[in-house]
């Protein structure tokens, strides 16, 4: 089992991913996957002439070796101008296992032989709240999270079928559309944000959705003082 892989996630303005991926590759990353999303942050106006405004985003996923994590993060942050307000943010998540990249696994095996057993990870300062709800409910999730102190959220669209969702049309099964909301918050008030989301969307009711938290390691392109208010 590999213990030194990271998933780097950068959330940036639509169209900025090309330069960021090029910079990540130059810093040692093998490649990336781009997902299209929409989001709203503290510095982005939610309406335009009274109409809801859609802020299109690129969500970039990059799997990296832990030893080049900081170098890739620095390259991504510089290429995407992530230190400038409104340009985006990035963070990394520890992966307990990564498949489909045998060259990285071989590299990790060699390091483990040299240094022995890995140490336990330290408690993390940030957490990623992942909320999966029915399509159209994402606005309430983002609003509830902001009310509890979160800076904003990123929305991905998907499909899913649960035990309480068996819909059919002319003998064809319909997969209900889903919204996946990503919310990055300091660990200190993650539970408060989750409680606010849970109340706003009634997650305890069947078929309403789920939410879970993921420990986040390195965070870059973020005004830490504003997140810790």
């Amino acid at each position: 089992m590999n213990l030194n892989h990271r998933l780097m996630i950068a959330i940036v303005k639509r169209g900025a991913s090309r330069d960021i991926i090029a910079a990540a590759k130059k810093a040692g990353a093998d490649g990336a996957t781009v997902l299209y999303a929409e989001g709203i942050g503290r510095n982005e106006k939610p309406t335009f002439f009274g109409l809801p405004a859609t802020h299109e985003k690129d969500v970039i996923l990059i799997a990296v070796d832990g030893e080049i994590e900081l170098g890739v993060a620095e390259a991504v942050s510089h290429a995407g101008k992530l230190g400038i307000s409104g340009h985006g943010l990035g963070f990394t998540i520890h992966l307990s296992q990564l498949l489909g990249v045998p060259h990285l696994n071989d590299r990790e095996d060699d390091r483990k032989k040299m240094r022995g057993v890995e140490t336990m990870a330290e408690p993390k300062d940030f957490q990623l709240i992942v909320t999966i709800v029915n399509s159209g409910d994402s606005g309430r999730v983002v609003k509830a999270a902001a009310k509890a102190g979160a800076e904003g959220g990123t929305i991905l669209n998907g499909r899913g079928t649960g035990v309480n969702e068996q819909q059919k049309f002319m003998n064809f099964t319909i997969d209900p559309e889903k919204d996946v909301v990503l919310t990055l918050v300091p660990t200190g008030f993650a539970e408060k944000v989750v409680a606010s989301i849970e109340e706003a969307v009634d997650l305890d009711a069947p078929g309403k959705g789920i939410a879970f938290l993921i420990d986040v390691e390195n965070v870059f392109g973020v005004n830490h003082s504003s997140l810790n208010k």
Side-chain angles (χ1 to χ4, degrees):
M1 180 181 295
N2 193 302
L3 299 174
N4 200 37
H5 288 155
R6 306 290 188 272
L7 176 64
M8 185 173 294
I9 301 176
I11 302 173
V12 300
K13 290 183 176 181
R14 178 67 52 83
S17 55
R18 183 181 297 273
D19 291 341
I20 290 173
I21 293 172
K25 285 185 173 182
K26 189 174 181 180
D30 292 322
T33 298
V34 181
L35 305 177
Y36 300 121
E38 56 187 73
I40 184 70
R42 182 181 295 276
N43 298 303
E44 297 175 300
K45 295 181 180 179
T47 61
F48 179 73
F49 284 102
L51 299 175
T54 299
H55 302 281
E56 295 182 327
K57 305 289 184 183
D58 285 352
V59 180
I60 309 170
L61 309 180
I62 309 171
V64 298
D65 185 304
E67 292 199 353
I68 65 170
E69 173 190 353
L70 295 181
V72 175
E74 183 178 353
V76 167
S77 185
H78 178 74
K81 300 179 181 178
L82 301 190
I84 301 175
S85 179
H87 280 74
L89 59 86
F91 53 90
T92 55
I93 297 170
H94 181 268
L95 300 178
S96 60
Q97 190 170 5
L98 180 62
L99 305 177
V101 283
H103 60 289
L104 290 185
N105 288 326
D106 292 342
R107 192 184 310 162
E108 172 65 13
D109 289 340
D110 292 339
R111 281 199 303 266
K112 286 168 67 177
K113 290 177 183 178
M114 295 177 61
R115 67 172 178 257
V117 181
E118 296 280 347
T119 57
M120 294 294 291
E122 295 293 328
K124 306 307 175 187
D125 294 329
F126 289 86
Q127 290 191 311
L128 177 68
I129 302 172
V130 181
T131 310
I132 304 173
V133 294
N134 294 320
S135 179
D137 285 345
S138 56
R140 286 196 287 163
V141 172
V142 173
K143 185 177 180 180
K147 183 179 178 182
E151 286 289 302
T154 300
I155 304 165
L156 300 169
N157 302 121
R159 292 185 301 170
T161 301
V163 294
N164 297 298
E165 299 166 310
Q166 298 294 332
Q167 304 179 42
K168 288 192 175 183
F169 176 73
M170 297 183 67
N171 293 325
F172 289 96
T173 301
I174 301 173
D175 293 333
E177 293 185 347
K178 301 293 183 184
D179 287 346
V180 181
V181 185
L182 309 180
T183 311
L184 182 68
V185 298
T187 299
F189 60 88
E191 291 296 337
K192 180 181 177 182
V193 175
V194 169
S196 182
I197 292 173
E198 184 178 17
E199 180 180 358
V201 232
D202 194 15
L203 292 183
D204 288 333
K208 288 293 186 177
I210 62 171
F212 52 90
L213 285 75
I214 301 173
D215 288 340
V216 170
E217 297 196 339
N218 180 34
V219 176
F220 50 95
V222 170
N223 185 332
H224 290 237
S225 60
S226 66
L227 276 178
N228 284 287
K229 289 189 298 184

